[in-house]
Amino acid sequence: MNAQPPTPLHGRPKFPTQVAFHRTELSAILSLYGRMVAAGEWRDYGISSLKEVAVFSIFRRTAENPMYRIEKRPKLRNRQGMYAVIGIDGQILKRGHDLRTVLRVLERKLIRAVD
């Protein structure tokens, strides 16, 4: 007798159909977001959960293009890292395996000289 793994219902794979941020990931992102809002740098955000990527978009004003995008791409987890911060021009500012390390590139913008 051969033991076979159970087949998924209706032939669909068991993988989620959308990529989303986990609660701990959102906590780190929203912590940074709250500090930047308090500093008057950012005003709005948007979250998108797509098939291959989850995106947290940061806006200075609601009607503009996002200043920064924080992306999670699980397919890149074994290569460059699944987290990335992307600037307004599409340039990748930081990429890595640890979200908090990747977010440090945005925390530098919070540090200012005091006269």
Side-chain angles (χ1 to χ4, degrees):
M1 193 185 278
N2 293 344
Q4 296 180 359
T7 57
L9 298 175
H10 307 291
R12 286 187 276 165
K14 291 185 179 182
F15 301 110
T17 57
Q18 289 182 340
V19 176
F21 287 105
H22 190 267
R23 175 181 276 174
T24 56
E25 295 165 337
L26 274 178
S27 175
I29 294 169
L30 289 173
S31 173
L32 172 64
Y33 177 78
R35 286 181 281 158
M36 295 299 267
V37 167
E41 295 291 322
W42 299 344
R43 303 233 173 151
D44 199 9
Y45 72 91
I47 299 176
S48 302
S49 296
L50 305 172
K51 187 174 180 178
E52 294 184 7
V53 62
V55 181
F56 187 94
S57 302
I58 300 164
F59 300 89
R60 186 176 303 254
R61 291 180 196 83
T62 305
E64 292 182 348
N65 291 332
M67 291 174 50
Y68 301 105
R69 292 189 330 253
I70 302 167
E71 292 188 354
K72 175 183 178 182
R73 291 183 185 268
K75 285 189 176 183
L76 296 178
R77 104 178 118 248
N78 294 329
R79 295 182 189 148
Q80 304 148 342
M82 69 175 158
Y83 302 108
V85 174
I86 301 170
I88 194 167
D89 56 354
Q91 180 181 12
I92 297 174
L93 303 176
K94 182 82 173 171
R95 182 179 296 249
H97 298 281
D98 181 43
L99 179 61
R100 292 191 188 273
T101 304
V102 172
L103 291 177
R104 283 188 197 146
V105 74
L106 297 175
E107 288 179 0
R108 291 185 196 147
K109 311 241 183 243
L110 192 58
I111 300 170
R112 293 183 186 174
V114 179
D115 293 331

